Amino acid sequence: MPRRKVTLAYMSNKSERKISFNKRKKGLIKKASELCTLCAVDGCAIVYSPFESQPEVWPSPEETASVLSRYNSLPEIEQTRYMTNLESFTKQRLEKVKKDLHRLQIENKRKEVKCFMYKCMAGIKKPEEFDMTNADVMRSVMEETTTALNSRMRELNIVDPNDPATSVSQNLH
């Protein structure tokens, strides 16, 4: 199911804001409860509001104090291990996008070389037109194609694996 785009705007009507806040707070606490139950983890929630004098504390003030105490007793490196800020998140995403781009560039180069090879086989291109800077890619594509052809020919019982004369790779040399 596609996600709906939600446009957030400040609610000017105080009573609407309070109703919305209470519904969302209830949903947040329900999600926290489900997370703790389903994943067998300890958790808590503290929600401050201009509508109430005391913060909402879930599951209870005592259990919340216990969870926070355990968290605060951890070394700082453990407390911040999984935290991220916008800068580090952006750097992580950028690195992932760079890796994806590099992978796609390699994949595209292989497809271009394979297309050129097929055009040569069809007589549309001449081998002299090949850019030799892509020779390693062409060698790899040709080996891959040869292996696939030999495999398919064996499946169709066209090739006798003991007869080098019927192997595609032998005929290319």
Side-chain angles (χ1 to χ4, degrees):
M1 174 183 225
R3 298 179 95 182
R4 288 186 302 141
K5 184 177 181 181
V6 178
T7 304
L8 299 177
Y10 179 73
M11 296 177 159
S12 58
N13 184 326
K14 187 175 181 179
S15 64
E16 286 179 12
R17 221 173 29 249
K18 184 174 182 178
I19 291 168
S20 180
F21 169 79
N22 285 328
K23 285 181 185 177
R24 290 172 185 270
K25 178 179 72 171
K26 183 178 177 183
L28 175 68
I29 290 174
K30 182 179 177 186
K31 290 290 183 189
S33 174
E34 290 170 354
L35 176 68
C36 292
T37 302
L38 294 173
C39 299
V41 296
D42 293 328
C44 64
I46 303 171
V47 182
Y48 287 92
S49 157
F51 307 112
E52 299 166 0
S53 59
Q54 293 294 314
E56 174 89 19
V57 180
W58 178 89
S60 70
E62 296 79 20
E63 290 179 69
T64 300
S66 172
V67 170
L68 291 175
S69 174
R70 283 192 317 209
Y71 175 78
N72 288 330
S73 69
L74 292 172
E76 186 177 344
I77 188 123
E78 289 294 317
Q79 289 179 10
T80 60
R81 174 182 288 178
Y82 300 109
M83 288 185 184
T84 187
N85 60 26
L86 185 58
E87 181 183 2
S88 62
F89 174 76
T90 304
K91 284 181 181 177
Q92 289 171 356
R93 287 290 302 149
L94 182 60
E95 285 304 312
K96 183 183 183 312
V97 168
K98 283 180 179 177
K99 285 180 185 175
D100 289 346
L101 175 63
H102 182 69
R103 180 184 52 80
L104 289 171
Q105 286 171 330
I106 291 170
E107 188 177 315
N108 284 344
K109 182 56 69 180
R110 289 185 63 80
K111 286 180 180 181
E112 287 173 10
V113 167
K114 195 175 217 176
C115 184
F116 181 83
M117 181 182 76
Y118 288 137
K119 284 180 179 181
C120 284
M121 291 168 59
I124 299 169
K125 290 275 190 180
K126 295 179 182 173
E128 301 83 47
E129 298 173 36
F130 183 67
D131 179 2
M132 289 307 289
T133 60
N134 297 319
D136 286 340
V137 178
M138 178 60 86
R139 181 190 45 77
S140 174
V141 166
M142 289 178 72
E143 287 173 359
E144 181 181 290
T145 304
T146 301
T147 302
L149 282 171
N150 281 331
S151 175
R152 183 67 177 140
M153 289 172 70
R154 275 192 293 279
E155 287 175 14
L156 299 172
N157 293 320
I158 296 172
V159 175
D160 178 1
N162 299 320
D163 182 6
T166 60
S167 171
V168 174
S169 60
Q170 293 298 322
N171 292 331
L172 289 177
H173 296 293

